[in-house]
Amino acid sequence: MRSDVDSQPPTARELAMVLFRQRLAFLCIAGVVFAGALIYAFAGVKYEAHIKLLVRRGRADAPVTAQESAPVDLTRMSISEEELSSEVELLRGDEIMRKVVERNGLADHDWLHFLRSGEPQAVRMERAARRLARNLTIEPIRKTNLIAVSYSGADSRLAAQVLQSLADVYLEKHTQVHRPKGELRFFEQQTNTSLQQLEQTQQDLLRFTLSRGSVAAAQQRDLALQRLSDVDANYRQAQIELAETRHRARELESQLAALPERTTTQIRTADNPELLKALKSSLFELELHRIQLLTKFEPTHRFVLEAEQQIAAAKRAIAAEAQNPVRDETTDKNANYEWAKAELLRDEVQMKGLEERAAATGAQVVAYRAIARKFGNDAIAQDDMIGREKAAQESYLLYVKKREEARMDDALDEGGIVNVVIAEPPVVPALPIWPAWAILMVGFAAAGTSGTVVAFALDYLDPGFRTPDEALAYLSVPVLASLPEKTGKSSLSAWRNIS
């Protein structure tokens, strides 16, 4: 290919000469393009049908759980961008595409159907589903809850029918995704199971009540504990009183040991005149007898000495009697001793009673402890059974409520009350996407443009000299003459062999 050379901008005549030189390529390319546009204008016209889907919150589906459903949040009624995008992706799903192809027989509408008749049905369905996805335009409308869907095809009625089938299949899929099948059957089974559990727990509780004799074990336990507390208080009080009585009895016994049984009530002192008189009379006689003895004997005589001793003894007796007068004492029962003795007897009797009372109340404490322990164990078992009965009852009521919700949801699904509705149904388009005159005009423009581009490209790639100026500029030799060819080739191609 020749190298580029510096030249002046081409003139209109030079541009026309390029098209003239490459007229055959220009006419071939332009003719082919215009023929394609002509064929498309009369044989490949496409019709485009439209449908709009509205995503709303007209219905709140309770979650399929074994727990109490939370109340519906009515403050959040707008559709988020994520939810709208999820519905768009659901519309573009392969399963929906295949079902639409199957319902409308799009696998048989391929223009190469007869060439591909030997292919498996699954391959034909897959190819038709991909072709359907390419011809479908699904996009959410900004700042709205609407999804716009359009489909273009050669058959206007088929285009509308495809969109209608797409909407029907999508609504079925939407219901299936948001509410899985078998929900009502599941909750009916759970309701029956929870009812059996409730009846079983009630029978167990009834058998336990009849066998243990505990109608309300917790209340009976509390009553037994109250009585045990009272009896225990009485037992402790009896022990205190018994200890107090024993201590008092010991004190009384010690006081009785120290107190005399009788006490002197009156003491009188006086002389004994008769004894003194007898003693003085005896002293007088002894003195007379001494005098008589002195008349007969010496003072040192034994009889005189004995008489003097007797006289001295009589005087001592008289003196002793004068110093020790006669005491007259009167005694009686000691009042303190008698009181202490009576109190001791009373305390001993009271102590016996307190011992019997303590023994009886102690036996009551033991009995009430056993009763309280029995009712305590029964209360634990009964509370457990009551708790299981309450849990079974709550579970049963919950599943009954869930079953009614599932039945209501099934009724709403059968009635077509879902959160997606067809806001604008598809209409059979009467006009094609592009009219024939527009296609022909576009085809004519495209044919001229493509032919011109090809002609200029071929002329640019041609290595031959077209004008004497190009030869002079490239070879730097003077051009003596230029002769045009008469064979229809380029008028300047003869200069290729000029040196």
Side-chain angles (χ1 to χ4, degrees), residues 257-277:
L259 291 174
E261 294 184 6
R262 302 184 66 83
T263 183
T264 302
T265 58
Q266 184 177 7
I267 299 176
R268 292 182 300 173
T269 58
D271 295 334
N272 192 352
E274 294 180 355
L275 180 58
L276 289 176
K277 182 178 180 180

Side-chain angles (χ1 to χ4, degrees), residues 127-192:
R127 184 177 287 109
R130 292 182 180 180
R131 187 171 59 253
L132 173 62
R134 288 193 302 268
N135 294 330
L136 274 175
T137 302
I138 304 173
E139 57 183 7
I141 302 176
R142 290 178 57 84
K143 296 184 179 180
T144 65
N145 295 339
L146 293 172
I147 299 175
V149 184
S150 61
Y151 175 74
S152 59
D155 190 348
S156 60
R157 293 184 178 276
L158 181 61
Q161 182 179 349
V162 167
L163 288 183
Q164 185 62 48
S165 301
L166 177 66
D168 296 338
V169 175
Y170 164 69
L171 291 177
E172 293 175 1
K173 186 65 176 178
H174 175 85
T175 304
Q176 179 182 359
V177 170
H178 287 79
R179 287 196 66 253
K181 294 182 179 179
E183 181 179 348
L184 178 59
R185 183 173 64 257
F186 168 77
F187 283 119
E188 284 181 349
Q189 294 175 354
Q190 295 300 319
T191 301
N192 296 332

Side-chain angles (χ1 to χ4, degrees), residues 34-95:
F34 187 75
L38 189 63
I39 293 172
Y40 180 79
F42 292 99
V45 177
K46 286 191 175 182
Y47 296 87
E48 188 175 59
H50 301 272
I51 187 174
K52 290 182 180 178
L53 302 174
L54 174 64
V55 183
R56 60 192 177 91
R57 292 193 183 276
R59 167 186 167 189
D61 293 327
V64 185
T65 61
Q67 300 176 353
E68 187 72 25
S69 300
V72 180
D73 187 7
L74 299 177
T75 60
R76 183 177 173 270
M77 299 299 293
S78 60
I79 302 297
S80 64
E81 184 178 354
E82 290 78 7
E83 293 173 332
L84 203 60
S85 300
S86 300
E87 300 298 331
V88 171
E89 292 301 322
L90 186 62
L91 271 168
R92 293 172 178 169
D94 294 337
E95 182 182 356

